[in-house]
Amino acid sequence: MEDVSIIILFLFVLFLLLGTGVWVGLALIGVAWVGMELFTTRPVGDVMLTTIWSASSSWTLAALPLFIWMGEILYRTRLSEDMFRGLAPWMARLPGGLVHTNIVGCTVFAAVSGSSAATLTTVGKMSIPELRKRNYPENMIIGTLAGAATLGLMIPPSLTLIVYGVTINESISKLFFAGILPGLVLASMFMAYVAISSFVSRQWNPDAEPAMTISEKIQNSRFLIPVILLITVVIGSMYLGFATATEAAAFGVIGGLILAASQGSLTWKTFSESLMGATRTSAMIALILAGAAFLSLSMGFTGLPRGLADLIAQMELTRFELLMVLLVFYIILGCFLDGISSVVLTMAVVEPMVREAGIDLIWFGIFIVVVVEMAQITPPIGFNLFVLQGMTNHEMSYIAKAAIPMFLIMVLMVFVLIAFPELATWLPDNIRSRPGG
Amino acid sequence: MSLLRRVLDTLYTAAGVLAACCLIAILSLIVIQMLARWTGEVFPGAPAYVAYFMAAASFLAFAHALNRGSHIRVSILLNAVGPRVRWVIETWCFAIGTAIGWYFVYYANRFVYWSWKFGDISQEQDKTLLWIPQSVMLAGGVILAIALTDNLIHLLLTGKHRIIRDTVDMQAE
C-alpha cells in the first residue's frame, strides 16, 4: 500500500465504470486493465488472454449452464400447479395454514433451481391468487414469498455457490452440502415466524380448508413424487461420491427432460426456450467470471488485498468483529450490485483477509450467500422485489415493508451460523467426495 | 443497409444457437464419460473437451446475450436521469464496451496466432492442438465486439440502442 493515490485512482475507475452502468463483466476487465497498467510493466493484453482463457475453459464451470438448464426446463413444466395442489392439504392444519405452502414450495423448488427469481415466479404464480382467494393477509403472502424465494440461492444447486466455488477454487459438492442444513434451518425459522404471527396478528382470519382424508391428500400430492425423486438423485449422487457436481448437473438435466416429457409439457418450443435461456444466463455469468479472473490477478499486483489483510491483522479484530464488518459491507454493496457480481468482485480482496483470520472458506461461502440473499429483498435494487412488483402490481415500498420481517430473520440466521458453525461444516466433512468435484 | 442489418442479426442468432449446441455437446460428453466409467472403459480427455465446449458456449453466446439484455449492469443511475443525459451515459457505456471488445479481439488474435505458430498442445490427456478451441473464443470475441460497435453506431445515429430485455430472462439471481 505504498502509493495511496494510485489505489484511490484505481478504486475511482472501478466505481465509475460500474456506477455508470457498463456491463459488470466488461467493467471488471476495464478496471483490471487500468490496475495492470498502473502497477506493473508486464504485457497486459497477453496476460489478460491467458487468464481469461484458463478461467473460461473449465470442467467445473460446466456445472453452471447445466444446472441453469435443469431449472429452466422445470420452470416450464406444470410444476407450479402441482406444487400448490400437492402441498396445500398437508399444510392446512398447521398454525399459519396455507402460507406455509409458500415456504415449503420455495424450499422444494430451490432444490431443483439455483435461482431465486425462478423460484419466486414458479411458486408465486399459483400461491398468490390461491391464498388471496382464501383471505390470507396480503402482507404475509408477499413477505414470505419474497423471503423464502431467496432459499434458491442457498439450497443446492445454487448458482451463487458455484460461482463462489469457482472463484476461490473450492469443491462445489462440498459447498452444496454446506448449504443444505442452513437452508432448512432458515426455512424452519420462516415457518416459525408464520405460525407465531398467525396467533398474534389480528388481520389473521383466513377461510378454513375443507377436511381431507389421508388417501385424498396422497392422491393430490402424487405429482410431487417425481420432483422429489429427481432431487434425491441429483443430491444423492453427489453425497455418495457417485458423481461430481458437473455430473450431477447432467443427471438433473436428463431427469428434468424425462419429467417434462412424462407430463406432456416437453415440446420443441419449451425445449428450445429452456436451452436458449440457459445459454444466455450462463454466458452472462461466464462474462462476469472472465472479468473477475483478470481483475483478481490485477488486484494481486495492486497490493490492495495484502494491504487490507495486514490492516485487519494489525487492528486485531476478533473473528466476530471481522464478520460483523463484512456483514455490513455486503449489505451496503448489495444495495447496488446483484449477488453474483458482489461475490466475484470482492473475493480477491476478502479471501486473504478471511484466510488470515482462520475462517473456514466453506463456512464463509454459506455466510456470504445468506448475506447476499438479504440484498435480494432490500431496496433499491432487491431483485425479488422487482419480480414481485411485476406479479402483484403493488408499490415497491409496500413489498419492501412486507419483506422486512424476513430480512430480520435472515440477520438472525447469520448469528445462528456464527454460533453453530457445524450447521454448515458437518455435512461437507462427511461426504464421500470424488477427486475433481 | 437492410441487407447488412439482416446479415448481422443472423450472425448473432446463429452464434447463439451454436452456443446452445455446445451445451448439448457438454451434456453428451459428460453422459458418455459417466457411461464409460461405469462400464470400466476410459474416455481419455473428456474433462478437457468439456472445458473447451464450455468456453465456446460462453463466448459464442456473448453477443446474443447482449442483444437480449441478459448481461447484468448497474442501472440505478440510468433509471434516475432524463432521456438526454441517459443517451450520453448509454453512449459512454457502449463506447467503453466497444473499446474493451476490440482490445480483447486484438490480443486474442495474437494469442491464437502464437498458439498456432508454436503448435501448443494441451497438457492433459486429450493432446488437442490448443489453437483450435482457442479460435472459437476469438470468433466469439469478434462477434461480441461487432455487436457492441453495431449498438454504438445505432445509438449515435438513431438515439436508441437495440437491446430488448426479455422479462422471462431474469433467471440469473
Side-chain angles (χ1 to χ4, degrees):
Chain A
M1 294 263 270
E2 313 82 50
D3 224 325
V4 178
S5 56
I6 300 186
I7 297 267
I8 290 172
L9 179 63
F10 175 69
L11 290 178
F12 172 74
V13 175
L14 174 72
F15 290 125
L16 178 72
L17 290 187
L18 283 176
T20 49
V22 177
W23 298 268
V24 173
L26 294 176
L28 299 188
I29 295 179
V31 177
W33 180 83
V34 172
M36 295 288 281
E37 287 291 344
L38 286 175
F39 290 92
T40 68
T41 48
R42 297 177 70 179
V44 180
D46 301 312
V47 175
M48 171 176 89
L49 253 295
T50 322
T51 314
I52 290 183
W53 167 252
S54 57
S56 310
S57 57
S58 145
W59 151 265
T60 320
L61 193 56
L64 191 72
L66 294 183
F67 275 126
I68 298 173
W69 190 9
M70 167 186 173
E72 291 263 356
I73 294 165
L74 293 169
Y75 173 72
R76 290 178 168 77
T77 58
R78 273 204 336 252
L79 198 57
S80 186
E81 291 101 89
D82 292 348
M83 193 86 88
F84 188 81
R85 221 160 39 134
L87 292 174
W90 305 97
M91 305 295 152
R93 291 278 163 271
L94 298 176
L98 295 190
V99 175
H100 291 299
T101 55
N102 266 347
I103 297 163
V104 178
C106 284
T107 313
V108 173
F109 195 76
V112 291
S113 162
S115 127
S116 92
T119 308
L120 182 57
T121 22
T122 312
V123 176
K125 205 159 45 179
M126 208 50 200
S127 76
I128 293 175
E130 292 290 331
L131 290 176
R132 277 182 180 163
K133 230 189 296 179
R134 293 167 171 79
N135 288 320
Y136 281 93
E138 181 81 9
N139 65 336
M140 280 306 274
I141 305 177
I142 308 244
T144 52
L145 201 52
T150 61
L151 290 169
L153 295 181
M154 182 131 98
I155 292 181
S158 151
L159 301 189
T160 315
L161 282 178
I162 297 178
V163 167
Y164 176 81
V166 169
T167 313
I168 64 158
N169 229 336
E170 280 283 351
S171 150
I172 311 275
S173 308
K174 281 195 169 178
L175 282 165
F176 277 1
F177 284 103
I180 294 180
L181 286 179
L184 294 178
V185 169
L186 187 55
S188 351
M189 280 159 65
F190 287 144
M191 288 177 82
Y193 167 75
V194 170
I196 292 167
S197 49
S198 78
F199 290 122
V200 179
S201 164
R202 261 170 291 147
Q203 308 162 321
W204 192 282
N205 42 5
D207 306 348
E209 290 294 303
M212 272 191 187
T213 63
I214 279 285
S215 67
E216 276 174 312
K217 285 183 184 174
I218 292 173
Q219 187 71 12
N220 262 323
S221 42
R222 67 177 189 282
F223 295 111
L224 282 184
I225 295 169
V227 183
I228 306 286
L229 221 65
L230 180 61
I231 297 171
T232 317
V233 169
V234 171
I235 295 183
S237 63
M238 281 189 281
Y239 192 78
L240 297 174
F242 206 54
T244 62
T246 311
E247 291 165 347
F251 280 132
V253 172
I254 291 167
L257 285 171
I258 294 172
L259 201 147
S262 66
Q263 282 191 351
S265 50
L266 185 67
T267 59
W268 172 248
K269 185 167 174 284
T270 55
F271 176 79
S272 57
E273 275 178 1
S274 67
L275 181 56
M276 291 310 289
T279 309
R280 283 193 293 272
T281 306
S282 126
M284 178 274 284
I285 300 177
L287 183 59
I288 296 179
L289 282 173
F294 184 35
L295 180 66
S296 83
L297 182 82
S298 163
M299 280 273 196
F301 287 113
T302 65
L304 199 59
R306 197 62 259 151
L308 273 177
D310 289 346
L311 193 70
I312 297 279
Q314 272 169 26
M315 285 162 74
E316 290 178 359
L317 286 182
T318 60
R319 230 179 263 186
F320 181 75
E321 283 162 345
L322 175 64
L323 288 172
M324 287 304 106
V325 172
L326 289 174
L327 173 68
V328 174
F329 171 70
Y330 276 108
I331 290 178
I332 295 172
L333 194 63
C335 292
F336 306 100
L337 270 181
D338 65 284
I340 288 174
S341 307
S342 38
V343 170
V344 297
L345 180 63
T346 54
M347 274 331 282
V349 176
V350 171
E351 190 193 340
M353 224 188 270
V354 169
R355 278 193 202 274
E356 183 86 31
I359 296 169
D360 180 50
L361 278 159
I362 300 278
W363 180 88
F364 188 73
I366 305 307
F367 171 85
I368 210 172
V369 165
V370 181
V371 180
V372 299
E373 268 181 37
M374 292 179 194
Q376 299 273 331
I377 57 170
T378 44
I381 67 145
F383 205 74
N384 288 2
L385 302 179
F386 281 122
V387 179
L388 269 171
Q389 192 181 26
M391 288 174 81
T392 62
N393 292 322
H394 278 299
E395 287 285 317
M396 183 70 115
S397 56
Y398 178 85
I399 302 171
K401 216 185 290 170
I404 289 175
M406 304 299 137
F407 179 81
L408 297 177
I409 293 174
M410 287 176 176
V411 176
L412 183 62
M413 183 65 211
V414 171
F415 290 99
V416 170
L417 259 184
I418 294 174
F420 305 101
E422 299 80 13
L423 275 180
T425 52
W426 187 79
L427 264 182
D429 286 345
N430 286 285
I431 52 169
R432 285 187 239 157
S433 67
R434 283 181 53 74
Chain B
M1 266 325 258
S2 75
L3 177 69
L4 180 64
R5 180 76 274 135
R6 268 215 308 283
V7 169
L8 285 176
D9 285 342
T10 314
L11 175 69
Y12 306 142
T13 313
V17 170
L18 213 56
C21 295
C22 290
L23 287 196
I24 298 179
I26 291 174
L27 179 65
S28 320
L29 278 168
I30 294 174
V31 170
I32 294 169
Q33 184 258 146
M34 277 192 290
L35 288 177
R37 196 169 74 217
W38 294 334
T39 52
E41 301 283 324
V42 269
F43 178 6
Y49 292 124
V50 168
Y52 302 146
F53 275 111
M54 183 61 218
S58 307
F59 276 87
L60 289 175
F62 280 162
H64 175 65
L66 177 79
N67 286 323
R68 292 302 193 87
S70 300
H71 289 303
I72 286 187
R73 58 199 299 200
V74 180
S75 47
I76 297 176
L77 184 65
L78 280 169
N79 292 334
V81 296
R84 188 83 203 137
V85 184
R86 196 186 158 93
W87 180 83
V88 174
I89 300 177
E90 288 279 17
T91 309
W92 148 264
C93 288
F94 277 105
I96 294 275
T98 307
I100 294 172
W102 288 112
Y103 179 81
F104 178 84
V105 168
Y106 176 79
Y107 281 97
N109 188 35
R110 271 172 52 133
F111 181 67
V112 176
Y113 173 77
W114 287 112
S115 193
W116 169 77
K117 186 95 176 163
F118 291 137
D120 279 353
I121 285 177
S122 159
Q123 298 296 306
E124 290 182 48
Q125 282 167 317
D126 58 297
K127 302 274 181 268
T128 310
L129 277 169
L130 280 175
W131 67 265
I132 300 170
Q134 283 166 353
S135 47
V136 183
M137 171 176 75
L138 174 60
V142 170
I143 298 171
L144 175 66
I146 291 175
L148 284 161
T149 317
D150 180 8
N151 273 295
L152 177 63
I153 293 172
H154 212 267
L155 189 64
L156 289 173
L157 295 182
T158 67
K160 286 194 199 78
H161 58 68
R162 305 182 52 259
I163 291 176
I164 302 152
R165 189 154 163 75
D166 189 349
T167 40
V168 193
D169 249 34
M170 305 201 293
Q171 309 264 326
E173 291 175 52

